[in-house]
Amino acid sequence: MIFPGYPPHFTEKVKALGDSELVEKAIEVTKNEEAKIDKKLKPYIEKFRGKNAILNTGGEKAWSIASALKDLGIKVIATSVAKSVESDIKKAKEILGEDIILMKSPASEQIKIVEEYGTDILLGGGRSLYTAFKRRNSFLNLAKDLDNVLDNPI
């Protein structure tokens, strides 16, 4: 792998073009863009350090949103795999580690996990809202929060 921070398929696709100069340029551009993103995320990472979360989303979100939270310094304690296929489960373990709690029945499992781990954030759909209220956790309803952001005139 040419660029250690990226999955092998990234460099393989660029290499497939057969132009070593282009490969080096792609890597350089990617490194520069990643540095810009790292700079923008730094204050958030500092703020979120030490926070943890439970995801009740399912499907590919079991790992994709979890990966984004991890990049922000938030430890994902558990993620729902109720709607996930085997490749999603494998990817969640790969990204979040073997000790990740994979909830197969999040409706009955998430409250126990919140109580045991004292999570800071519960991210999920409306069905997770009761648990968040009951345990006084921050709750992120991604669709609603994104909608609010997009409707914000600023």
Side-chain angles (χ1 to χ4, degrees), residues 3-138:
F3 190 41
Y6 282 80
H9 67 273
F10 169 78
T11 53
E12 294 306 314
K13 287 179 180 178
V14 177
K15 279 195 225 176
L17 298 172
D19 183 338
S20 61
E21 197 174 307
L22 186 59
V23 169
E24 292 304 317
K25 182 66 176 169
I27 291 169
E28 179 185 335
V29 167
T30 303
K31 283 182 180 179
N32 289 338
E33 292 302 312
E34 188 176 61
K36 289 179 193 175
I37 291 169
D38 288 346
K39 185 176 180 180
K40 287 180 182 179
L41 292 179
K42 186 177 180 181
Y44 298 106
I45 293 168
E46 290 171 5
K47 183 176 184 176
F48 300 148
R49 184 176 290 123
K51 301 291 184 197
N52 54 34
I54 292 178
L55 288 172
N56 187 355
T57 54
E60 73 281 347
K61 293 175 285 195
W63 58 267
S64 61
I65 293 175
S67 178
L69 291 174
K70 184 179 173 185
D71 288 346
L72 290 171
I74 298 171
K75 179 176 172 65
V76 178
I77 303 295
T79 189
S80 171
V81 293
K83 300 175 190 173
S84 301
V85 296
E86 193 57 42
S87 61
D88 294 326
I89 295 169
K90 181 180 177 190
K91 189 83 169 178
K93 287 180 180 178
E94 181 183 310
I95 291 171
L96 300 168
E98 289 295 322
D99 62 338
I100 184 70
I101 299 168
L102 301 174
M103 299 183 296
K104 293 184 174 114
S105 299
S108 62
E109 294 175 78
Q110 73 182 3
I111 187 72
K112 294 171 190 165
I113 297 167
V114 167
E115 288 173 350
E116 183 175 342
Y117 292 91
T119 51
D120 300 299
I121 301 166
L122 177 59
L123 189 148
R127 288 177 277 174
S128 296
L129 191 55
Y130 175 73
T131 302
F133 282 147
K134 185 176 178 181
R135 300 301 306 158
R136 296 184 177 187
N137 275 117
S138 299

